[in-house]
């Protein structure tokens, strides 16, 4: 598998000059973690991986990120910088017999005083039993597991495996990182035959994927004439986006779409949606952002809005382009015309702020379960009132930590469905005050 990032060509062994032709990605393989591009937050001195290496102890890791951001490269260099034997397997092609051989070789290596960094690409493709097979070898130090995945580890990996590994999130390579990579390409190949527009276009085509950028760059090396955007598109047989998806125009247009929806202007919202689609925006990105609008700006004023957006997203996935875009347009129109409320969004942020400030406060004992006698003896569950037995099915008890001032986070608006929710909130506030007064 080709690595993604380069190092200074001067750092390469002289013997490499005598080798046969090598792919660009192989020639630009990094020699140290310091040469990896785009993941400074993880690898810097203050980053989690940098601090881990400085401490001299490398624990098992899960590297989670999109394709082409350096997961394999980082794993290989971690092994080099910690003097661990590097063994790479793919969950796609490796079964139980192969795993047993890998573990046995690592065990023998461990007995001889050397550890093994086992890199597992696409680790989420292993089933539960196969994932469980790693646990004893991780626990006794036979292997340091570094798994790579493009999928959310919370959903794809066992809790037992996650509890023994640290998840590191690798970010998509931004325009600056891709630009730096292209400059390093030119240190090896010489200036690429691209004008300014084509140079921007090739970065856009890579779409955050370093491996894709290197492959694209390799195809234009040696072009007889300087290429503009149109000529580059023809040469690479890959459509260049019509606007910079990582630049100001991208963020300006999504902001215009979002604010048009929030401002209940269906025509403007539809126009900005069309501008982004005709500009080459990924409809899946738009589906995600439209769904975010539903939960942020419509909320419980129209509880059906988020579900409608998810349905539109699914319809797009089923139909594809261009038919699927109509479902996204319908979702945008529904959101623009829906009653608006950010009460749930505001309440969530306020509750998160309170949780950060009071995160060590325990729940009051009367709402804790007491399955053992010891827990009952220390007061767990004492005084709890079962709400279904109370008048109106409401006890009015305190559910916040003892000594903490009661928070008020959710304040529904009088629009749409939240008008009814506000009546319920006000009813329980009044009833709670009555119950507290009668208990005094």
């Amino acid at each position: 598998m080709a690595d993604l990032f380069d190092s200074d060509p001067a750092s390469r062994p002289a013997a490499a000059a005598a080798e046969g032709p090598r792919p660009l990605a192989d020639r630009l393989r990094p020699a140290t973690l310091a040469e990896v591009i785009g993941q400074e937050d993880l690898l810097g001195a203050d980053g989690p991986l940098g601090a881990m290496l400085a401490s001299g102890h490398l624990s098992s890791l899960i590297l989670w990120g999109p394709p082409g951001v350096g997961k394999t490269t980082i794993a290989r260099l971690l092994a080099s910088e910690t003097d661990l034997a590097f063994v790479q397997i793919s969950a796609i092609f490796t079964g139980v017999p192969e795993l047993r051989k890998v573990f046995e070789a690592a065990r023998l290596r461990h007995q001889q005083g050397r550890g093994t960094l086992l890199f597992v690409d696409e680790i989420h493709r292993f089933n539960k039993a196969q994932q469980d097979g790693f646990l004893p070898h991780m626990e006794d130090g036979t292997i340091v597991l570094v798994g790579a995945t493009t999928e959310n580890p919370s959903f794809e990996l066992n809790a037992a495996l996650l509890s023994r590994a640290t998840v590191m999130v690798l970010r998509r390579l931004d325009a600056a990182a891709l630009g730096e990579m292209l400059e390093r390409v030119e240190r090896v190949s010489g200036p690429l035959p691209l004008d300014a527009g084509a140079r921007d276009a090739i970065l856009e085509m890579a779409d955050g994927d370093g491996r894709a950028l290197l492959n694209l760059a390799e195809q234009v090396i040696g072009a007889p004439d300087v290429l503009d955007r149109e000529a580059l598109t023809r040469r690479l047989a890959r459509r260049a986006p019509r606007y910079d998806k990582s630049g100001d125009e991208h963020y300006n247009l999504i902001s215009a779409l979002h604010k048009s929806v929030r401002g209940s202007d269906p025509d403007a919202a539809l126009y900005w949606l069309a501008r982004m689609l005709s500009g080459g925006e990924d409809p899946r990105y738009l589906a995600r952002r439209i769904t975010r609008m539903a939960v942020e700006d419509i909320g419980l004023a129209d509880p059906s809005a988020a579900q409608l957006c998810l349905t539109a997203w699914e319809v797009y996935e089923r139909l594809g382009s261009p038919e699927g875009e109509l479902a996204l347009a319908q979702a945008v129109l529904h959101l623009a015309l829906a009653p608006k409320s950010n009460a749930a969004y505001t309440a969530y942020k306020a509750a998160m702020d309170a949780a950060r400030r009071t995160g060590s406060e325990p729940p009051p004992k009367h709402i804790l379960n007491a399955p053992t006698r010891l827990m009952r003896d220390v007061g767990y569950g004492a005084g709890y009132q079962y709400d279904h037995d109370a008048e109106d099915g409401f006890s009015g008890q305190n559910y916040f930590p003892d000594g903490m001032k009661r928070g008020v986070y959710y304040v529904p608006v009088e629009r749409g469905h939240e008008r009814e929710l506000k009546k319920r909130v006000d009813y329980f506030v009044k009833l709670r005050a009555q119950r507290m007064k009668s208990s005094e």
Side-chain angles (χ1 to χ4, degrees):
M1 181 180 296
D3 286 317
L4 307 182
F5 309 102
D6 75 337
S7 61
D8 192 313
S11 68
R12 298 290 169 233
E19 296 177 358
R22 297 163 61 203
L24 180 63
D26 187 53
R27 284 183 283 150
L28 299 184
R29 182 174 296 171
T32 69
L33 286 168
E35 297 169 2
V36 174
I37 297 172
Q39 307 301 335
E40 292 80 9
D41 290 348
L42 287 180
L43 299 173
D46 296 329
L49 266 178
M52 192 179 292
L53 288 172
S55 72
H57 175 71
L58 180 65
S59 63
S60 290
L61 306 170
I62 301 297
L63 303 179
W64 174 28
V69 296
K71 297 186 289 293
T72 304
T73 295
I74 290 172
R76 188 183 301 276
L77 294 175
L78 284 174
S80 175
E81 297 201 12
T82 55
D83 194 30
L84 295 173
F86 181 77
V87 177
Q88 178 176 350
I89 62 174
S90 170
I92 300 174
F93 303 111
T94 306
V96 173
E98 293 83 5
L99 280 176
R100 287 175 179 159
K101 293 177 182 178
V102 168
F103 294 145
E104 178 61 20
R107 185 184 65 79
L108 294 174
R109 202 177 290 117
H110 189 251
Q111 290 175 349
Q112 295 168 3
R114 192 177 187 201
T116 299
L117 188 151
L118 176 60
F119 176 66
V120 183
D121 198 16
E122 303 288 341
I123 190 171
H124 61 275
R125 293 183 180 270
F126 276 137
N127 61 35
K128 183 180 186 300
Q130 289 170 318
Q131 291 181 30
D132 286 344
F134 290 99
L135 303 181
H137 308 288
M138 296 166 65
E139 290 172 347
D140 66 11
T142 300
I143 63 169
V144 173
L145 175 69
V146 177
T149 179
T150 57
E151 304 295 330
N152 189 329
S154 299
F155 303 137
E156 302 295 339
L157 299 182
N158 294 348
L161 183 62
L162 286 176
S163 70
R164 293 164 173 81
T166 302
V167 176
M168 299 286 180
V169 181
L170 279 70
R171 63 186 183 185
R172 178 181 178 274
L173 301 184
D174 59 19
L178 291 173
E180 183 181 350
M181 185 179 294
L182 207 59
E183 291 173 4
R184 293 188 174 183
V185 169
E186 292 178 315
R187 295 181 193 175
V188 173
S189 68
L192 293 172
L194 304 172
D195 69 10
R199 194 177 187 88
D200 289 341
I202 200 171
L203 299 182
E204 294 163 15
M205 290 179 183
D207 197 22
D209 185 328
R211 184 183 297 109
L213 178 65
L214 295 181
N215 291 338
L216 293 170
E218 192 161 25
Q219 295 178 57
V220 303
I221 292 174
D225 301 309
V226 175
L227 305 173
D228 59 15
R229 178 183 284 260
E230 184 177 350
L232 176 72
T233 303
R234 290 197 304 268
R235 184 181 182 90
L236 297 181
R238 180 168 176 164
R239 178 184 60 80
R242 298 181 191 176
Y243 75 105
D244 184 357
K245 292 194 292 183
S246 61
D248 289 342
E249 187 178 6
H250 165 79
Y251 294 107
N252 288 342
L253 295 192
I254 193 61
S255 177
L257 172 58
H258 195 155
K259 289 180 173 63
S260 298
V261 166
R262 184 182 293 154
S264 300
D265 189 332
D267 296 314
L270 201 57
Y271 169 76
W272 292 116
L273 175 71
R275 277 280 301 272
M276 297 191 79
L277 287 171
S278 64
E281 186 57 77
D282 184 354
R284 292 177 179 84
Y285 167 79
L286 289 166
R288 181 175 66 81
R289 290 301 299 259
I290 291 166
T291 305
R292 166 64 188 267
M293 295 173 201
V295 297
E296 179 178 338
D297 290 300
I298 285 81
L300 294 175
D302 180 357
S304 70
Q307 187 58 53
L308 185 142
C309 290
L310 291 173
T311 299
W313 195 342
E314 183 178 359
V315 169
Y316 173 79
E317 294 291 355
R318 298 269 182 132
L319 292 181
S321 296
E323 294 89 347
E325 280 90 336
L326 178 57
L328 302 183
Q330 291 175 354
V332 164
L333 290 172
H334 182 97
L335 297 187
L337 294 171
K340 305 299 188 295
S341 172
N342 71 342
Y345 178 62
T346 302
Y348 171 74
K349 292 197 296 183
M352 287 296 291
D353 180 64
R356 283 189 288 267
R357 288 184 284 103
T358 61
S360 299
E361 297 288 345
K365 286 185 178 180
H366 66 269
I367 64 171
L368 299 179
N369 289 332
T372 68
R373 180 173 179 178
L374 174 61
M375 297 167 79
R376 291 192 294 272
D377 288 345
V378 297
Y380 280 33
Y384 174 65
Q385 298 176 35
Y386 188 54
D387 285 78
H388 293 291
D389 293 337
E391 183 182 357
D392 300 315
F394 182 76
S395 68
Q397 283 194 299
N398 175 53
Y399 300 102
F400 281 92
D402 291 331
M404 176 181 170
K405 183 179 178 181
R406 178 178 181 80
V408 178
Y409 310 125
Y410 180 51
V411 183
V413 301
E414 295 207 21
R415 292 187 292 275
H417 181 67
E418 277 202 335
R419 182 180 293 112
E420 296 303 315
L421 297 181
K422 187 176 189 308
K423 292 178 183 177
R424 299 184 201 176
V425 168
D426 292 344
Y427 169 75
F428 287 121
V429 167
K430 180 180 178 180
L431 203 56
R432 184 176 292 108
Q434 293 175 354
R435 295 287 190 270
M436 293 178 66
K437 186 175 181 180
S438 64
S439 65
E440 291 177 355

